[in-house]
């Protein structure tokens, strides 16, 4: 019997009516003859509200306790979803990450999945139940409750779909697919019918919050198609699949904005072999995720300024780590600018097209937006801009590549 994983995001579960709607959709899929596993997020903005509550108690809450708190959001929605299915006359069972046996490493607030046990799910499915799993959470080998990072219910869903060999993993959300840009910021953005894992991975990493990056990594690795669609309609959304011929035809297929960034600058770093290695080993040891790194050498080669971007949420911890490093390694100073965003243009066609970077810089210059840093990879060009310029930068790059006109994603 075919197995389907359906994931419902917070906005699709914001109130009782929406939970009933999601339950009806799940029941329909079950009645069509499929085994069904649901992954749910916390209702509406519940996770944000829990974070606000934590911050009202402490400016720097212990991460273990933050995880303990945040996982309650999903525990509420699994129970309510199971009740909604039961009220409609069908059998369902809710399971937390710990009950299921979703084992992660011990990095609280950003844990990575290590193993998933399918034994309990298989047993419940064999009994004809719809199985409802709490997204975003797991348990470490020592029995501690962990979370997988903001937006990571997608990752729970994709990982389960991979382990269970699902035909498809449906991601139900408040947009009807993946667009050429966040439609909330760029009203002219267009829906993409089909997008490759690689392209979606880069879009997500560049800030397209519609999908959690690690979800795409799982889906790609195990060849699970992802279908991003609206929980309010039955229309087809965006299929995220392996790259097919023709996808390279267009240089830029989408643009994305990452708003919550901080730029960390290490001033007057002794330019000697091993220094960069020590700096980034220490940063990595604290599980601080580094985005882009830029180094400029000066003083006839004796010193360098080294900058990297990280999420604004990590700024405080990064400052502590870097200040300690500055003392040990004889670095001149540490500056952190929390007022920056990153705008990126993404397209697998960039591998074969030229002039993309020039067109992007030109668009920003026309809009009189200053570029504070540039980084490029095979299929992405990114610019750091002032936070207040971010949305306008996104719109002007979207315009420059005529993404509202081109048949993007094909
Ligand atoms: P959920 O609660 O369902 O997980 P999210 O808020 O995480 O929903 O993701 C959906 C949101 O992602 C949309 O409302 C949209 O504003 C945003 N988004 C960002 N980039 C894109 C994009 N390229 N295409 C579609 N939506 C995007
Ligand atoms: N509830 C979690 C969050 O808001 C996980 C998710 O929604 O995917 O980040
Ligand atoms: Mg999401």
């Amino acid at each position: 019997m075919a197995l389907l994983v359906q994931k419902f995001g917070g906005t699709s579960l914001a109130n009782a009516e929406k939970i009933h709607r999601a339950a009806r959709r799940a029941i329909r899929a079950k009645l069509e003859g499929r085994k069904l596993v649901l992954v749910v997020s916390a209702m509406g903005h519940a996770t944000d509200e829990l974070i606000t509550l934590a911050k009202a108690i402490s400016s720097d809450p212990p991460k273990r306790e933050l995880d303990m708190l945040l996982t309650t959001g999903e525990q509420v929605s699994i129970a309510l979803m199971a009740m909604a299915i039961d009220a409609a006359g069908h059998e369902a069972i809710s399971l937390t990450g710990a009950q299921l046996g979703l084992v992660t490493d011990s990095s609280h607030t950003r844990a990575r999945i290590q193993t998933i046990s399918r034994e309990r799910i298989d047993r419940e499915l064999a009994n004809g139940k719809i199985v409802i799993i709490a997204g975003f959470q797991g348990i470490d080998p020592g029995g501690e409750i962990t979370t997988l990072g903001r937006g990571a219910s997608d990752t729970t869903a994709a990982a389960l779909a991979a382990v269970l060999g699902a035909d498809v993993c449906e991601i139900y959300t408040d947009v009807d697919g993946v667009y050429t840009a966040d439609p909330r910021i760029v009203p002219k953005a267009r829906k993409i019918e089909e997008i490759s894992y690689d392209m979606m991975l880069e879009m997500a990493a560049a800030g397209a919050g519609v999908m959690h990056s690690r979800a795409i990594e799982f889906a790609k690795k195990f060849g699970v198609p992802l279908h991003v669609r609206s929980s309010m309609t039955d229309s087809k959304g965006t299929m995220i699949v392996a790259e097919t011929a023709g996808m390279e035809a267009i240089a830029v297929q989408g643009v994305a904005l990452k708003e919550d960034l901080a730029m960390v600058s290490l001033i007057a770093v002794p330019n000697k072999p091993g220094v960069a290695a020590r700096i980034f080993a220490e940063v990595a040891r604290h599980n601080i995720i580094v985005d882009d790194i830029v180094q400029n050498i000066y003083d006839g080669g004796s010193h360098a300024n080294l900058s990297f971007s990280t999420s604004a949420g990590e700024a405080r911890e990064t400052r502590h780590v870097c200040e300690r490093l500055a003392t040990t390694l004889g670095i001149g100073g540490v500056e952190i600018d929390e007022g920056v965003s990153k705008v990126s243009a993404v397209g697998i066609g960039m591998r074969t097209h030229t002039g993309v970077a020039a067109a992007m810089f030109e668009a920003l210059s026309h809009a009189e937006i200053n570029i504070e840093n540039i980084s490029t990879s095979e299929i992405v060009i990114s610019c750091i801009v002032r936070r207040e310029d971010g949305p306008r930068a996104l719109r002007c790059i979207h315009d420059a590549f005529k993404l509202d006109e081109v048949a993007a994603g094909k």
Side-chain angles (χ1 to χ4, degrees), residues 7-10 40-44 46-48 70 73-74 135-136 149-155 212:
K7 179 256 167 179
F8 292 94
V40 296
S41 297
M43 292 172 70
T47 308
D48 291 330
L70 297 193
E74 272 69 14
F136 167 65
R150 295 304 309 271
S153 291
D154 296 337
T155 299
H212 194 249

Side-chain angles (χ1 to χ4, degrees), residues 213-291:
S213 329
R214 238 173 295 139
I216 308 152
E217 285 170 8
F218 272 109
K220 179 182 176 188
K221 189 162 167 198
F222 296 95
V224 181
L226 298 171
H227 184 181
V228 180
R229 55 194 304 196
S230 163
S231 57
M232 301 306 285
T233 69
D234 283 335
S235 54
K236 187 164 181 281
T238 299
M239 292 303 300
I240 307 175
V241 291
E243 191 173 328
T244 52
M247 281 187 176
E248 288 213 4
I250 299 158
V252 174
Q253 290 166 294
V255 294
L257 179 66
K258 211 168 183 177
E259 298 209 270
D260 52 347
L261 287 183
M263 201 69 196
V264 182
S265 300
L266 305 180
I267 315 294
V269 179
N271 187 24
K272 289 189 299 208
V275 172
R278 283 193 60 188
I279 293 171
F280 289 104
E282 190 58 15
V283 168
R285 204 172 64 79
H286 287 82
N287 287 320
I288 294 166
I289 296 166
V290 171
D291 228 37

Side-chain angles (χ1 to χ4, degrees), residues 3-67:
L3 190 145
L4 178 65
V5 174
Q6 293 186 329
K7 179 256 167 179
F8 292 94
T11 43
S12 307
L13 303 168
N15 53 40
E17 157 56 23
K18 289 189 172 170
I19 292 176
H20 279 301
R21 179 190 281 272
R24 284 196 296 275
R25 187 185 289 277
I27 291 166
R28 211 168 64 210
K30 168 99 193 305
L31 293 177
E32 283 164 6
R34 276 174 287 196
K35 289 186 180 174
L36 200 64
V37 174
L38 306 185
V39 174
V40 296
S41 297
M43 292 172 70
H45 298 291
T47 308
D48 291 330
E49 285 155 17
L50 289 169
I51 290 174
T52 307
L53 203 54
K55 293 269 149 92
I57 298 287
S58 159
S59 60
D60 194 15
K63 289 184 171 165
R64 177 195 184 274
E65 304 308 334
L66 209 47
D67 279 352

